[in-house]
Amino acid sequence: GMLEELPAMTSAYLSAPNLVGRDTALSRARTKITRAARSRGGVLLFEGISGVGRSRMLAACRLEAKLQGVLTLAADAGDAREDYGVVRALTRQLILAIPQLALQLAQPHLSVLARVLPELHAMCPDAQLEPLDDATRLRSLALGAIRDWLLALSTQRPLLIAIDDLHGVDEPSVAAIALLARGLEDHGLLLIASLDTDANVIAPGPLSVFNAVAIRTPLECLSLGESDQLLRDVFGDVPHVQLLTH
């Protein structure tokens, strides 16, 4: 049946051509996902230059998590067009996937969450909102409320949150993610992010906090042998295919 096929499906995907040379990184990610499914979360960061395969790594991790029954949320720098843009993208996915549970566990923090996450406010238009007169206080309350909400959700459903191109994410979202990253060992929540090591960083302060707690995994360019293998996997034993890697 389907359940018996899942390990084979996972193995086939994770050994796909575009993941040649990533055995160590994939093994580490798979172990962390399994632990998160058992309420032992953590933080992984994949680092590398543009084009090295960071997004493909995150896609592989998301598939592995889904196959292990972990609720998977994903966002990237493209969602960061406004303050809390990435957190808002995650919120929309939660509302689609588990609307009742998401709203139920947001209730204790709704006056703050609905102020910074319009998607929640739309579900509860009569909610009393935290006043806007002190932006610093509101930010502090919002970061804590986002953390508490996501941690509460992770006690009910194991979660994987994958953030691609963390260097380009809006500052409040990076701050929320960095705060969330601290102390996940007893929660069913795994944070996985990618970072372009050559790119400009939008939020260096919060990012340094995230980096301090993450297991950092550099993704190097493929060796010539790995590049040869990749090309053979894609094109087969075409004569002189190895010349494409030189």
Side-chain angles (χ1 to χ4, degrees), residues 73 87 90-91 94 105-106 109 113 117 143-159 161 176-177 180 184 187-189 191:
L73 313 175
V87 177
L90 300 175
T91 299
L94 282 168
L105 295 179
H109 317 285
L113 290 175
L117 303 174
L143 297 181
I146 292 165
R147 176 200 60 196
D148 292 347
W149 179 43
L150 292 173
L151 288 179
L153 284 166
S154 75
T155 67
Q156 304 295 316
R157 285 285 304 270
L159 294 176
I161 298 177
I177 291 162
L180 180 64
L184 291 180
H187 293 85
L189 196 159
L191 278 173

Coordinates of all heavy atoms in Angstrom, one line a residue, residues 73 87 90-91 94 105-106 109 113 117 143-159 161 176-177 180 184 187-189 191:
L73 N 5.5 24.2 6.1 CA 5.3 25.6 5.7 C 6.5 26.1 5.0 O 7.6 25.8 5.4 CB 4.9 26.5 6.9 CG 3.9 26.0 7.9 CD1 3.8 26.9 9.1 CD2 2.5 25.8 7.2
V87 N 6.2 36.1 7.7 CA 5.3 35.5 8.7 C 3.9 35.5 8.2 O 3.1 34.5 8.5 CB 5.4 36.3 10.1 CG1 4.4 35.7 11.1 CG2 6.8 36.2 10.6
L90 N 3.5 32.5 6.0 CA 3.3 31.3 6.8 C 1.9 31.2 7.4 O 1.3 30.1 7.5 CB 4.4 31.2 7.9 CG 5.8 31.2 7.4 CD1 6.8 31.3 8.6 CD2 6.2 30.0 6.6
T91 N 1.4 32.3 7.8 CA 0.1 32.4 8.4 C -1.0 32.0 7.4 O -1.9 31.2 7.7 CB -0.2 33.8 8.9 OG1 0.7 34.2 9.9 CG2 -1.6 33.9 9.5
L94 N -1.0 28.3 7.2 CA -1.6 27.6 8.4 C -3.1 27.7 8.3 O -3.8 26.8 8.6 CB -1.1 28.3 9.6 CG 0.3 27.9 10.1 CD1 0.8 28.9 11.1 CD2 0.3 26.5 10.6
L105 N -5.6 28.4 18.7 CA -4.3 28.6 19.5 C -3.8 30.1 19.3 O -3.0 30.5 20.1 CB -3.3 27.6 19.0 CG -3.6 26.2 19.3 CD1 -2.5 25.2 18.8 CD2 -3.8 26.0 20.8
A106 N -4.4 30.8 18.4 CA -4.1 32.2 18.3 C -4.9 33.1 19.3 O -4.4 34.2 19.6 CB -4.3 32.7 16.9
H109 N -3.5 35.4 22.0 CA -2.6 36.5 21.6 C -3.2 37.3 20.5 O -2.5 38.0 19.8 CB -1.3 35.8 21.0 CG -0.7 34.7 21.9 ND1 -0.1 34.9 23.0 CD2 -0.7 33.4 21.7 CE1 0.3 33.8 23.6 NE2 -0.1 32.8 22.7
L113 N -1.6 39.6 17.5 CA -1.4 38.9 16.3 C -2.2 39.5 15.2 O -1.8 39.7 14.0 CB -1.7 37.4 16.4 CG -0.7 36.6 17.2 CD1 -1.2 35.1 17.4 CD2 0.7 36.6 16.6
L117 N -0.8 40.7 11.6 CA -1.1 39.6 10.7 C -2.6 39.8 10.2 O -3.5 39.2 10.8 CB -1.0 38.2 11.3 CG 0.4 37.9 11.8 CD1 0.5 36.6 12.5 CD2 1.5 38.0 10.7
L143 N 6.5 39.9 18.4 CA 7.5 38.8 18.2 C 7.3 37.7 19.2 O 7.4 36.5 18.9 CB 8.9 39.4 18.4 CG 9.4 40.4 17.4 CD1 10.8 40.9 17.7 CD2 9.3 39.9 16.0
G144 N 6.9 38.0 20.5 CA 6.7 37.0 21.5 C 5.4 36.3 21.2 O 5.3 35.0 21.4
A145 N 4.4 37.0 20.7 CA 3.1 36.3 20.3 C 3.2 35.3 19.2 O 2.7 34.2 19.2 CB 2.0 37.4 20.0
I146 N 4.0 35.7 18.2 CA 4.3 34.8 17.0 C 5.0 33.6 17.5 O 4.6 32.5 17.1 CB 5.1 35.6 15.9 CG1 4.2 36.7 15.3 CG2 5.6 34.6 14.9 CD1 5.0 37.7 14.5
R147 N 6.0 33.8 18.3 CA 6.7 32.6 18.8 C 5.8 31.7 19.6 O 5.7 30.5 19.4 CB 7.9 33.1 19.7 CG 8.6 31.9 20.4 CD 9.4 32.4 21.6 NE 8.5 33.0 22.6 CZ 8.9 33.8 23.6 NH1 10.2 34.1 23.7 NH2 8.0 34.3 24.4
D148 N 5.0 32.3 20.6 CA 4.2 31.4 21.4 C 3.1 30.7 20.6 O 2.8 29.6 20.9 CB 3.5 32.3 22.5 CG 4.5 32.8 23.5 OD1 5.7 32.3 23.5 OD2 4.2 33.7 24.3
W149 N 2.6 31.4 19.6 CA 1.5 30.8 18.7 C 2.1 29.6 18.0 O 1.5 28.5 18.0 CB 1.0 31.8 17.8 CG 0.0 31.4 16.8 CD1 -1.1 30.6 17.1 CD2 -0.1 31.7 15.4 NE1 -1.9 30.4 16.0 CE2 -1.3 31.1 14.9 CE3 0.6 32.5 14.6 CZ2 -1.7 31.2 13.6 CZ3 0.2 32.6 13.2 CH2 -0.9 31.9 12.8
L150 N 3.2 29.8 17.3 CA 3.8 28.7 16.5 C 4.3 27.5 17.4 O 4.1 26.3 17.1 CB 5.0 29.2 15.7 CG 4.6 30.2 14.6 CD1 5.8 30.8 13.9 CD2 3.6 29.5 13.6
L151 N 4.8 27.8 18.6 CA 5.2 26.8 19.5 C 4.0 26.0 20.0 O 4.0 24.7 20.1 CB 6.0 27.3 20.7 CG 7.4 27.8 20.5 CD1 8.0 28.4 21.7 CD2 8.3 26.7 19.9
A152 N 2.9 26.7 20.3 CA 1.7 26.0 20.7 C 1.1 25.1 19.6 O 0.7 24.0 19.8 CB 0.6 27.0 21.1
L153 N 1.2 25.6 18.3 CA 0.8 24.7 17.2 C 1.6 23.5 17.1 O 1.1 22.4 16.8 CB 0.9 25.5 15.9 CG -0.3 26.6 15.7 CD1 0.1 27.5 14.5 CD2 -1.6 25.8 15.3
S154 N 2.9 23.6 17.4 CA 3.9 22.5 17.2 C 3.6 21.4 18.3 O 4.1 20.3 18.1 CB 5.3 23.0 17.2 OG 5.7 23.3 18.5
T155 N 3.0 21.8 19.4 CA 2.6 20.7 20.4 C 1.5 19.9 19.9 O 1.3 18.8 20.4 CB 2.3 21.4 21.7 OG1 1.1 22.1 21.6 CG2 3.4 22.3 22.2
Q156 N 0.7 20.4 18.9 CA -0.5 19.7 18.4 C -0.1 19.0 17.1 O -0.7 17.9 16.8 CB -1.6 20.6 18.2 CG -2.1 21.4 19.4 CD -2.6 20.5 20.5 OE1 -3.4 19.6 20.2 NE2 -2.2 20.7 21.7
R157 N 0.7 19.6 16.3 CA 1.1 19.1 15.0 C 2.6 19.4 14.7 O 3.0 20.5 14.8 CB 0.3 19.8 13.8 CG -1.2 19.4 13.7 CD -1.3 18.0 13.1 NE -0.6 17.9 11.8 CZ -1.2 18.1 10.6 NH1 -2.5 18.6 10.6 NH2 -0.6 17.9 9.5
P158 N 3.4 18.4 14.5 CA 4.8 18.6 14.2 C 4.9 19.6 13.0 O 4.1 19.4 12.0 CB 5.4 17.3 13.9 CG 4.5 16.3 14.6 CD 3.1 16.9 14.5
L159 N 5.8 20.5 13.0 CA 5.9 21.5 12.0 C 7.3 21.6 11.4 O 8.3 21.5 12.2 CB 5.6 22.9 12.5 CG 4.1 23.3 13.0 CD1 4.1 24.7 13.5 CD2 3.2 23.1 11.8
I161 N 9.2 24.5 9.2 CA 9.2 25.8 8.5 C 10.4 26.0 7.7 O 11.5 26.0 8.3 CB 9.0 26.9 9.6 CG1 7.7 26.8 10.3 CG2 9.1 28.3 8.9 CD1 7.5 27.8 11.4
A176 N 11.4 37.5 14.3 CA 10.5 36.5 14.8 C 11.0 35.1 14.6 O 10.9 34.3 15.6 CB 9.1 36.7 14.1
I177 N 11.6 34.8 13.5 CA 12.2 33.5 13.3 C 13.4 33.3 14.2 O 13.5 32.1 14.7 CB 12.7 33.4 11.8 CG1 11.4 33.4 10.9 CG2 13.5 32.2 11.5 CD1 11.7 33.7 9.4
L180 N 12.0 32.5 17.6 CA 11.4 31.2 17.6 C 12.5 30.1 17.6 O 12.3 29.0 18.2 CB 10.6 31.0 16.3 CG 9.9 29.7 16.1 CD1 8.8 29.4 17.2 CD2 9.2 29.7 14.7
L184 N 14.1 25.1 20.8 CA 13.1 24.2 20.1 C 13.3 22.8 20.5 O 12.6 21.9 20.0 CB 13.3 24.4 18.6 CG 12.8 25.7 18.0 CD1 13.1 25.7 16.5 CD2 11.4 26.0 18.3
H187 N 10.2 20.8 21.4 CA 9.0 21.1 20.6 C 9.1 20.4 19.3 O 10.2 20.2 18.8 CB 8.8 22.6 20.4 CG 8.5 23.4 21.6 ND1 9.5 23.8 22.5 CD2 7.3 23.7 22.2 CE1 8.9 24.5 23.5 NE2 7.6 24.4 23.4
G188 N 8.0 20.1 18.7 CA 8.0 19.4 17.4 C 8.0 20.4 16.3 O 7.2 20.4 15.4
L189 N 9.1 21.2 16.3 CA 9.2 22.3 15.2 C 10.6 22.3 14.8 O 11.6 22.5 15.6 CB 8.8 23.6 15.8 CG 8.5 24.7 14.8 CD1 7.6 25.8 15.4 CD2 9.8 25.4 14.2
L191 N 13.1 24.3 12.1 CA 13.3 25.5 11.3 C 14.4 25.1 10.3 O 15.5 24.8 10.8 CB 13.7 26.7 12.1 CG 12.6 27.5 12.7 CD1 13.2 28.6 13.6 CD2 11.7 28.2 11.7

